[in-house]
Amino acid sequence: MSFFLAMTSTIYTKFAQQTIQHVVAKQSKLKKAFKIIGGLIVFFTLPTLLLFGFIYFKYNEELPTGEQGAKADQLATNMLQALNEEAYLNTAYIEWTFKGRHHYKWYKSDKTCEVYWDDFTVILDLENRNNSKVFVLEQEYNGIEKQDYITKAESYFNNDSFWLVAPYKVFDAGVERRLVKTEDQKNALLVTYTSGGTTPGDSYLWHLDDSGKPKSFQMWVDILPIEGIEATWENWITTESGAQLPTFHKFLFLGIELTDVKGLNL
């Protein structure tokens, strides 16, 4: 009986030792895996955090104050004259591609726009969105997601057209204009959209060249965590209609390209 107990004790001891070794080995592997995962997280996030911190402290600015009134309105008028606003107003049709992904045929005089992306086409009625139509693979779609596609197309249009024609919108309803003196004592135009669009409340500070033409703007917008980031307005072209439109914006380390830009009088 004592021999049997001794054998049982020995077997139990060996089993317990093996179990402990297995648990320790498993914990060691888990620790190693967590260390690897943690290292990867630090490897990828630390540079990102450092870069964000650098950009934040370098570029973040408070929204400047400015003076509303005749001087601000005159500066805005000078900008529009430098761009030949009359030609833009008489442009009935504008076509462009935004960053190679979204394509637009804007019948400006009819207040409609055809928006294309992936397999979707939305014919936006810019006055009454309920009259808009959706096509999937060239077949009209009236399913439960129709309104979602219309909303998405409208959001695309509001954003992507802004990068094309924003200077011409400075006298839109609900827009406030202020004259701002920059650090180098030049006049800049602060424009705030108090209503309309996708993100009302956004502000833009336009920097102008000697002719009054926009060369860049700084942005105070809800979608960006850093305030006052600057984007250029460059590579302007004169369309067939005479409207002047940009085809490139430099934004930090990124480029926003607008291609196949056309403006016609139909």
Side-chain angles (χ1 to χ4, degrees):
M1 184 69 176
S2 60
F3 174 77
F4 176 76
L5 290 174
M7 287 292 294
T8 302
S9 176
T10 301
I11 293 171
Y12 175 79
T13 301
K14 287 183 177 181
F15 175 76
Q17 289 174 342
Q18 289 175 350
T19 302
I20 291 170
Q21 289 173 352
H22 177 72
V23 170
V24 170
K26 189 173 182 179
Q27 288 179 339
S28 178
K29 289 181 180 179
L30 284 172
K31 286 181 180 179
K32 188 175 181 180
F34 284 134
K35 284 183 179 180
I36 292 172
I37 294 170
L40 289 172
I41 291 172
V42 171
F43 178 79
F44 286 109
T45 59
L46 184 58
T48 302
L49 290 173
L50 291 173
L51 178 61
F52 176 81
F54 169 77
I55 294 173
Y56 182 86
F57 287 109
K58 182 176 176 62
Y59 295 105
N60 191 72
E61 294 184 19
E62 293 291 329
L63 180 67
T65 57
E67 179 184 349
Q68 285 184 279
K71 291 182 179 179
D73 290 349
Q74 186 59 55
L75 186 61
T77 299
N78 293 345
M79 180 178 72
L80 292 175
Q81 289 175 345
L83 290 173
N84 191 3
E85 181 196 21
E86 185 177 355
Y88 170 76
L89 292 175
N90 292 329
T91 300
Y93 172 83
I94 296 177
E95 182 176 331
W96 80 99
T97 298
F98 184 81
K99 297 175 66 174
R101 295 199 298 265
H102 305 154
H103 313 279
Y104 299 89
K105 294 181 179 180
W106 182 13
Y107 297 87
K108 190 159 71 74
S109 57
D110 294 335
K111 295 182 174 56
T112 63
C113 184
E114 298 174 12
V115 185
Y116 304 84
W117 76 95
D118 298 334
D119 297 322
F120 302 95
T121 300
V122 175
I123 301 177
L124 274 178
D125 186 320
L126 299 172
E127 284 198 315
N128 186 353
R129 61 181 296 179
N130 292 327
N131 292 334
S132 301
K133 296 182 179 181
V134 176
F135 296 84
V136 180
L137 294 172
E138 300 183 355
Q139 299 295 315
E140 187 167 1
Y141 176 79
N142 289 299
I144 58 174
E145 295 180 321
K146 178 181 178 179
Q147 290 303 317
D148 292 337
Y149 294 135
I150 292 173
T151 299
K152 180 176 286 189
E154 189 176 38
S155 178
Y156 286 161
F157 174 81
N158 287 341
N159 178 77
D160 300 354
S161 66
F162 191 83
W163 286 100
L164 187 71
V165 301
Y168 298 105
K169 297 175 67 63
V170 294
F171 280 102
D172 282 5
V175 175
E176 295 178 350
R177 294 161 299 280
R178 291 175 173 83
L179 177 67
V180 172
K181 282 289 185 181
T182 63
E183 290 183 357
D184 54 1
Q185 295 304 303
K186 290 188 176 181
N187 290 334
L189 180 66
L190 180 63
V191 176
T192 300
Y193 293 86
T194 62
S195 62
T198 305
T199 54
D202 291 348
S203 294
Y204 303 84
L205 183 65
W206 289 96
H207 298 278
L208 313 173
D209 66 16
D210 292 338
S211 70
K213 192 172 181 177
K215 60 181 181 180
S216 68
F217 66 17
Q218 290 177 264
M219 297 173 279
W220 286 263
V221 296
D222 285 342
I223 197 172
L224 295 175
I226 299 174
E227 298 184 325
I229 289 182
E230 189 169 14
T232 65
W233 282 66
E234 55 186 293
N235 294 2
W236 292 83
I237 64 168
T238 301
T239 65
E240 186 177 319
S241 67
Q244 296 185 49
L245 299 172
T247 60
F248 187 77
H249 307 280
K250 184 179 179 182
F251 175 59
L252 289 177
F253 315 111
L254 307 174
I256 299 175
E257 191 174 15
L258 296 93
T259 55
D260 306 315
V261 179
K262 299 176 184 177
L264 305 173
N265 290 323
L266 300 179

